[in-house]
Amino acid sequence: MAAPMVRGLVLVAAASSSRSPAAAYHARPLGLSLSRSARSRPLGPDTPEWQRGPGPERRRFAAAGAASGVAAASLWPGPGDLRRLVRHQVDWQPPLHVMCAGIRAADTQRRQRQRDRQKLIAANMAKMPKMVEEWRREKREAKVKQREEKARRDRLLAEARERFGYSIDPRNAKFQDMVKELEKEEKKKLKLIKRRKNVEAGGSEVLPAAATP
């Protein structure tokens, strides 16, 4: 009979000794009192700005009530605050019918913009074949003009080399001046040919005005 009791006492002692020492620790309460911490000291010149004003006073009164030393009557909004609240409510909290009217107007404008965009797309798509053909024509004309310009430039270079000799560097200043002179002469020839064609076609030739003495 004694043996089982001894074994039970040994097991209880082993279980109690196996627990962590921290399990038996109970922290002492800090003894903080919200009412005492919220009870404000008199505001002085050293009080920071964030502890001044109606906002901090409301928080102190909410935490400690009358023990905060804040007069409850001073926490109510003044006339200026009320006007700001009313203006804020009008601007940001309009009545339901006003909000619905604004939503309908915005939806109408959105639908109108969508219709206008669809009309513009349809008009541009109708013009697309003509625009593509115009672009191709301009591209062909640009290529033809580029080939003609290259041929004209090569002809002028060949003529300038015949005058200066093929040993001259095309980057030479005299060579470039000669090419420019040849271009001017060619432009004059083209103008004369164009004027002669106009005369042959029955047009009137415009003579230069005589210089006044």
Side-chain angles (χ1 to χ4, degrees), residues 122-136:
N124 290 335
M125 291 301 294
K127 297 177 182 177
M128 185 63 67
K130 184 178 179 181
M131 294 172 65
V132 172
E133 182 61 29
E134 184 71 17
W135 173 77
R136 289 177 177 173

Side-chain angles (χ1 to χ4, degrees), residues 4-202:
M5 293 181 62
V6 172
R7 286 197 300 271
L9 291 175
V10 170
L11 292 176
V12 171
S16 61
S17 62
S18 63
R19 286 188 299 178
S20 174
Y25 175 76
H26 297 283
R28 182 179 178 182
L30 297 177
L32 296 178
S33 176
L34 184 61
S35 61
R36 288 201 302 271
S37 63
R39 187 179 294 116
S40 61
R41 296 188 299 271
L43 300 180
D46 297 336
T47 304
E49 289 296 330
W50 62 272
Q51 292 183 358
R52 299 174 180 272
E57 289 183 354
R58 292 191 181 99
R59 286 192 291 271
R60 287 197 296 270
F61 186 84
S68 63
V70 178
S74 64
L75 303 178
W76 291 96
D81 297 331
L82 289 176
R83 285 193 295 270
R84 282 192 296 270
L85 289 174
V86 171
R87 187 163 55 250
H88 181 273
Q89 185 176 6
V90 171
D91 295 339
W92 298 100
Q93 298 177 358
L96 182 60
H97 68 278
V98 175
M99 295 176 63
C100 293
I103 293 173
R104 286 193 296 268
D107 186 67
T108 302
Q109 293 178 0
R110 181 184 61 81
R111 292 177 181 274
Q112 183 62 37
R113 287 195 300 268
Q114 187 176 5
R115 287 193 294 268
D116 295 341
R117 184 171 179 272
Q118 291 176 353
K119 289 180 181 179
L120 180 61
I121 292 174
N124 290 335
M125 291 301 294
K127 297 177 182 177
M128 185 63 67
K130 184 178 179 181
M131 294 172 65
V132 172
E133 182 61 29
E134 184 71 17
W135 173 77
R136 289 177 177 173
R137 183 183 61 79
E138 292 178 356
K139 192 173 181 179
R140 289 193 299 268
E141 291 178 356
K143 288 183 178 180
V144 171
K145 187 176 181 181
Q146 185 178 4
R147 288 195 296 268
E148 292 177 352
E149 183 65 21
K150 185 178 182 300
R152 186 183 65 83
R153 188 74 176 176
D154 294 341
R155 187 175 66 257
L156 293 175
L157 288 175
E159 186 175 351
R161 281 177 174 174
E162 288 180 359
R163 296 187 183 184
F164 282 98
Y166 284 89
S167 61
I168 189 171
D169 188 357
R171 294 172 295 182
N172 188 287
K174 293 183 179 180
F175 184 83
Q176 296 294 333
D177 293 339
M178 175 58 68
V179 172
K180 291 180 181 179
E181 290 296 330
L182 293 175
E183 288 178 349
K184 290 181 181 179
E185 292 177 3
E186 185 176 6
K187 288 181 180 179
K188 290 180 180 179
K189 292 179 182 179
L190 292 175
K191 287 183 179 180
L192 290 175
I193 294 173
K194 185 177 181 180
R195 184 179 298 177
R196 188 178 299 114
K197 289 182 178 179
N198 290 336
V199 172
E200 292 175 356

